[in-house]
Amino acid sequence: AQYTIVDLTKPELTIEDALNDYELEVGDDIPDYLASASDNYDESVSVNVDTSNIDTTKPGEYEITFTAEDDDGNKTTATRTVTVIKTFSKAELDALVFDKKFIYNGNERTIRVSGAQELDQSTLEFINNGLNITYSGNSLINIGETLVTITFTPKSSVYKFDETEINSDEYTRTETLTVIQKSLTTLVATIADQTYTGQELTPEIVI
């Protein structure tokens, strides 16, 4: 009698998680992810790692796939998540330029904001997409100079501050702004060529 050996056993896939770097910085090259496979029948089984989903120009979470397949088509797959991080330096946040004008109208408050010429467009986009920018101050009623605290906080976990410079989940700057208008009319402010009204306003960075 003749017997045909049918291999239905999937390869064993081993991923070197301790050696693989699953957290990348914006602009990093995609590394070679290490993995190996063994099989009950084939002496050698290669592992394919699909990293085509990763875009290191954009912060976010991306899935990569490890696949081991033996000569009989038995296949084992596994996935890992790679996180691309944008880390903001203190210099980048300090380079933002804010119009030093503050308009007060009753209880309505608006600050006009402009981008910083020293920063490239991609950095401004990261700031606009990745950071909340809020303001607080002491006296916001009288015309004249007032000290305002500007606070930056990341919008999500893929945006961070440089821990060697900013040992906190928020960064604050103080600016001396000038109250230039006090009126009974409706307050309208233009930021980034868009018109805003109201008491609370999250400013946009001009890109």
Side-chain angles (χ1 to χ4, degrees):
Q2 284 188 325
Y3 298 94
T4 300
I5 298 175
V6 179
D7 178 14
L8 299 177
T9 303
K10 295 180 179 181
E12 290 189 8
L13 177 61
T14 302
I15 301 174
E16 302 293 344
D17 288 325
L19 300 177
N20 290 332
D21 188 0
Y22 298 119
E23 185 171 300
L24 307 178
E25 183 69 23
V26 166
D28 282 352
D29 293 329
I30 299 174
D32 293 327
Y33 288 101
L34 304 178
S36 60
S38 60
D39 188 67
N40 66 322
Y41 191 75
D42 298 330
E43 291 186 2
S44 177
V45 177
S46 61
V47 178
N48 177 68
V49 186
D50 183 1
T51 61
S52 60
N53 286 334
I54 301 177
D55 184 352
T56 58
T57 67
K58 297 179 180 179
E61 293 184 343
Y62 302 90
E63 187 176 271
I64 61 175
T65 303
F66 298 80
T67 303
E69 184 175 1
D70 65 18
D71 291 341
D72 291 292
N74 301 305
K75 186 183 299 184
T76 302
T77 62
T79 60
R80 294 292 187 271
T81 298
V82 173
T83 304
V84 177
I85 302 291
K86 168 58 186 174
T87 301
F88 293 101
S89 67
K90 183 176 180 294
E92 287 175 327
L93 302 181
D94 287 343
L96 282 178
V97 176
F98 295 88
D99 290 343
K100 297 184 182 300
K101 297 177 181 178
F102 186 87
I103 303 176
Y104 175 81
N105 177 33
N107 290 322
E108 294 182 348
R109 306 184 300 219
T110 302
I111 294 179
R112 295 183 292 197
V113 185
S114 64
Q117 298 300 320
E118 298 88 346
L119 297 175
D120 58 38
Q121 182 164 330
S122 62
T123 300
L124 289 174
E125 288 177 348
F126 289 141
I127 291 172
N128 198 40
N129 294 331
L131 295 180
N132 292 311
I133 305 175
T134 57
Y135 301 86
S136 61
N138 296 323
S139 175
L140 304 176
I141 298 177
N142 298 324
I143 293 177
E145 291 187 349
T146 185
L147 191 65
V148 172
T149 299
I150 303 170
T151 302
F152 303 86
T153 54
K155 291 182 179 179
S156 71
S157 60
V158 297
Y159 296 93
K160 297 182 177 179
F161 298 134
D162 186 339
E163 294 181 353
T164 64
E165 300 177 321
I166 305 171
N167 189 22
S168 174
D169 58 359
E170 67 177 30
Y171 176 63
T172 58
R173 285 172 50 188
T174 56
E175 294 279 355
T176 300
L177 305 182
T178 303
V179 179
I180 62 172
Q181 179 176 324
K182 183 176 181 181
S183 171
L184 297 178
T185 60
T186 300
L187 176 64
V188 177
T190 299
I191 299 176
D193 297 324
Q194 299 183 50
T195 300
Y196 300 85
T197 60
Q199 186 170 359
E200 297 298 330
L201 173 64
T202 300
E204 287 188 14
I205 303 300
V206 178
I207 296 176

